[in-house]
Amino acid sequence: MINFIMEKFVNRLVSRESCAMKILRANTDDIDSIERIYENIHDAEENGLTSIGWIRNIYPTRKTAQDALNRNDLFVIKDNGKVTAAAVINQIQVDEYKYAEWKHKVKENEIMTLHCLAVDPFENGKGYGTAFVSFYEDYAKRHGCTALRMDTNEINHRARKLYKTLGYDEVGIVKCEFNGIPDVRLVCLEKYLG
């Protein structure tokens, strides 16, 4: 039953995507919009409206987006031309991943990672996070990857709930300083496509 509901939801997103929503590689013109999304998230966090664990001027910042753009692994969702979400998709595993108890042992070139998924808080509830994860999974398949990995802060309950709903397993929590943020309890997540 859950698979049927998810399939209907994804089909609705796909049909919606073909009309107005597109997921594509970011370009230089998107950086201001991505920075604005980061700032909106920082505002929401500082005002107690969300709990993600990011810190203004530390992570994520405009430089986070610019570095990803320079590597050519920054993607955005545009809905009617407006950037509503952004994320980094690549095969770079952060150092902290070596402390996670991954269930699936695969070669490095079979792993795809999702980093810094950011949905504009003014656009929450419209399915952009789910659409991005679906795109990420398809992208991984097209690039021959069977293991999907990502992370989130333990306090980010909204992301954890979404990822669980989408079939991601929490394989461990790593205590660390992460992206310059101290005292993070980094939840490592995985999904196997093989």
Side-chain angles (χ1 to χ4, degrees), residues 89-192:
I89 300 173
N90 59 36
Q91 291 187 282
I92 301 169
Q93 296 185 78
V94 295
D95 290 339
E96 290 77 9
Y97 283 13
K98 66 184 169 196
Y99 303 109
E101 307 235 352
W102 303 107
K103 293 179 182 178
H104 304 282
K105 305 299 180 205
V106 296
K107 297 176 186 171
E108 293 291 315
N109 66 345
E110 296 174 341
I111 300 167
M112 191 67 70
T113 58
L114 177 70
H115 308 277
C116 197
L117 174 57
V119 176
D120 191 326
F122 293 109
E123 303 292 342
N124 279 342
K126 297 182 180 178
Y128 296 126
T130 300
F132 231 124
V133 173
S134 178
F135 173 83
Y136 160 59
E137 292 176 3
D138 289 340
Y139 183 86
K141 287 177 194 172
R142 288 193 314 268
H143 288 83
C145 295
T146 56
L148 303 173
R149 294 182 180 172
M150 64 174 78
D151 59 74
T152 192
N153 194 311
E154 182 182 44
I155 66 173
N156 191 344
H157 299 292
R158 177 180 282 160
R160 292 174 73 187
K161 182 178 178 183
L162 171 66
Y163 298 146
K164 182 178 181 179
T165 301
L166 298 176
Y168 287 79
D169 294 321
E170 293 186 1
V171 298
I173 296 177
V174 177
K175 296 176 187 175
C176 59
E177 178 178 309
F178 192 67
N179 292 316
I181 300 171
D183 303 319
V184 171
R185 292 178 49 85
L186 190 70
V187 178
C188 296
L189 301 109
E190 141 181 80
K191 184 174 184 177
Y192 188 64

